[in-house]
Amino acid sequence: MDINFCQICGEKLILKEIGDEGMIPYCEACSKPYFNSPAPCVLVVVINEYNEVALLKQDYVSTIHWGLIAGFITEGENAEETGLNIRSLQYISSFHQSPRNLLMLGYLAFVKKSEFIKSCEVDQINWFLIKDAYLKIREGSIAEQLFDKAIKRLKENQHINE
Ligand SMILES: [Zn+2]
């Protein structure tokens, strides 16, 4: 994300050499550097005791594909916060999504199967068997990459066979 103007005072930013970070957009009036840090968000493979995966569908994202549970981290929140009642959580991998400069932190979360409390942003949410979930997630997506890694980890943990 290119920033050209100060978000505080509106001055045009200059490029200033800062430490070993190189040339960084900088507001001289506020003495504030603008580092191009990615926005962190979480992407979670939520799995229950029957090895079913929680997937959701948001029609504004896709009317065909289902996605993993995901969300942004706002100030004061931590990466473990998902609103679900999680029994245990494993960090799997991080992914950088270039177009939106997102740092997606991927987790595998274990929950007890329960009914979903669907937020108004979600059109459908459901439990799927792992083999069915593979067919619902968009091929080549970050969600698919995380899903692959998480299921491999799950098999190592539980020695399950499909
Ligand atoms: Zn400024």
Side-chain angles (χ1 to χ4, degrees):
M1 194 181 299
D2 288 333
I3 302 170
N4 298 314
F5 296 93
C6 178
Q7 294 169 353
I8 299 162
C9 72
E11 276 295 308
K12 190 158 173 49
L13 302 178
I14 59 154
L15 286 176
K16 183 178 173 162
E17 192 162 354
I18 296 174
D20 56 3
E21 300 290 333
M23 299 300 274
I24 301 295
Y26 185 83
C27 176
E28 284 188 303
C30 302
S31 307
K32 180 178 163 53
Y34 282 86
F35 295 102
N36 189 24
S37 305
C41 62
V42 291
L43 191 60
V44 189
V45 177
V46 177
I47 197 148
N48 67 26
E49 69 272 34
Y50 307 105
N51 284 321
E52 293 171 328
V53 184
L55 296 183
L56 56 80
K57 200 144 151 295
Q58 290 172 293
D59 290 343
Y60 78 90
V61 178
S62 170
T63 53
I64 302 162
H65 296 108
W66 292 65
L68 298 172
I69 313 301
F72 283 97
I73 303 170
T74 54
E75 201 174 327
E77 285 183 339
N78 57 43
E80 288 76 20
E81 194 165 344
T82 64
L84 287 161
N85 194 5
I86 290 170
R87 289 185 302 163
S88 71
L89 190 66
Q90 282 181 22
Y91 173 72
I92 302 293
S93 182
S94 72
F95 303 87
H96 184 249
Q97 197 231 40
S98 310
R100 293 169 66 198
N101 196 22
L102 296 177
L103 179 68
M104 308 185 95
L105 303 170
Y107 290 88
L108 174 61
F110 298 91
V111 301
K112 210 167 148 46
K113 188 172 185 175
S114 59
E115 289 300 309
F116 293 104
I117 301 160
K118 192 167 75 69
S119 95
C120 59
E121 291 170 46
V122 174
D123 293 294
Q124 291 179 69
I125 184 163
N126 222 329
W127 293 111
F128 291 99
L129 293 170
I130 291 168
K131 62 177 168 50
D132 297 330
Y134 265 112
L135 305 172
K136 302 268 179 201
I137 299 171
R138 187 166 63 82
E139 231 182 303
S141 63
I142 288 174
E144 190 198 41
Q145 292 174 48
L146 173 65
F147 189 65
D148 258 349
K149 287 185 180 200
I151 299 307
K152 277 193 189 107
R153 180 76 66 86
L154 187 71
K155 286 177 179 172
E156 287 164 16
N157 290 350
Q158 302 183 340
H159 310 287
I160 62 160
N161 299 302
E162 273 183 83

